[in-house]
Amino acid sequence: MRIGYGFDSHAFKAGVPLVIGGVKIEHRSGLAGHSDGDVLLHAITDALLGAVSAGDIGTFFPPSDPQWKGADSTIFLKTAVEEIATAGYKITNIDTVLILSQPKIVPLAGDIRARVADLLGIKPNQVGIKAKTPEGLNQDGVAVAHVTVLLEEIKVNDGLKSMSAEAEMDMNDVVESLVNGVRDTRALGRKRTFDTDDLT
Ligand code: MG
């Protein structure tokens, strides 16, 4: 198993749409950011990438790159989901804390939980959505998200589909190894290695 942690914050800004956890929310202000400012999806993305030592959201989607201006943050999350699958892991559960003065999250939490679960390809009971107001923090103009994620190794018998995909990939690797005369059996493994050079 592997654990990941993600944090993000964005300032509220009048006149922009508010999107949290991939859910569009009616509110007088939204979150400022280079992308759509979805503070929760950004923190989840970082938690997933961190769990497999694959860098962070900025590694894949630099704010300096104009193509991500106003981007839908579900794109970032999808990339992180692909990264953990490539590394040979799946999500056991995630837990989140949002800290913001408004809007009230309680009436929206069910929708956010269902949307996040759908985006991650897991069940709603594998997603925790909690919200706090920033008591004593003097940060009413800011939304903050903290996320932890637990991953478990994908076993070959997790499903016929993944099993056949594994078999096909291994066979390709075997053929490639034979063609190239590579004898290193480590080349047959699909897993990403976890070394500190991956950290950014
Ligand atoms: Mg962000």
Side-chain angles (χ1 to χ4, degrees):
M1 292 190 143
R2 297 185 68 93
I3 192 166
Y5 170 72
F7 165 88
D8 197 28
S9 65
H10 284 264
F12 279 98
K13 181 183 178 184
V16 300
L18 178 61
V19 186
I20 296 178
V23 175
K24 291 191 175 67
I25 298 167
E26 284 298 323
H27 193 57
R28 64 176 177 278
S29 56
L31 296 172
H34 189 66
S35 65
D36 64 8
D38 193 327
V39 68
L40 182 57
L41 292 195
H42 294 181
I44 296 172
T45 300
D46 264 359
L48 292 170
L49 292 174
V52 293
S53 298
D56 64 17
I57 196 167
T59 313
F60 290 84
F61 308 100
S64 55
D65 188 335
Q67 73 170 304
W68 307 120
K69 186 163 173 49
D72 180 343
S73 295
T74 62
I75 297 166
F76 308 156
L77 190 67
K78 188 166 179 283
T79 297
V81 168
E82 287 167 358
E83 282 295 311
I84 64 163
T86 300
Y89 287 82
K90 65 178 183 177
I91 299 168
T92 303
N93 75 300
I94 77 163
D95 194 18
T96 72
V97 181
L98 284 163
I99 305 169
L100 70 178
S101 58
Q102 51 185 306
K104 286 272 177 239
I105 294 299
V106 170
L108 306 165
D111 286 348
I112 294 173
R113 189 168 80 135
R115 176 71 169 142
V116 168
D118 188 45
L119 289 168
L120 294 174
I122 58 178
K123 297 184 184 117
N125 68 7
Q126 292 172 285
V127 178
I129 302 289
K130 307 189 301 299
K132 315 278 286 182
T133 51
E135 300 296 327
L137 293 176
N138 195 26
Q139 57 181 37
D140 285 359
V142 178
V144 168
H146 296 268
V147 173
T148 53
V149 60
L150 186 66
L151 306 183
E152 61 189 296
E153 221 173 333
I154 297 171
K155 301 287 192 305
V156 176
N157 63 1
D158 275 347
L160 190 60
K161 195 174 164 189
S162 64
M163 209 161 81
S164 61
E166 290 264 355
E168 190 180 326
M169 184 64 74
D170 283 352
M171 189 50 71
N172 287 342
D173 287 342
V174 169
V175 171
E176 196 175 328
S177 297
L178 290 171
V179 168
N180 296 331
V182 176
R183 293 176 186 278
D184 186 350
T185 53
R186 285 175 302 177
L188 297 175
R190 290 186 61 211
K191 279 189 192 164
R192 176 190 297 277
T193 54
F194 298 103
D195 60 52
T196 51
D197 291 342
D198 286 338
L199 296 176
T200 57

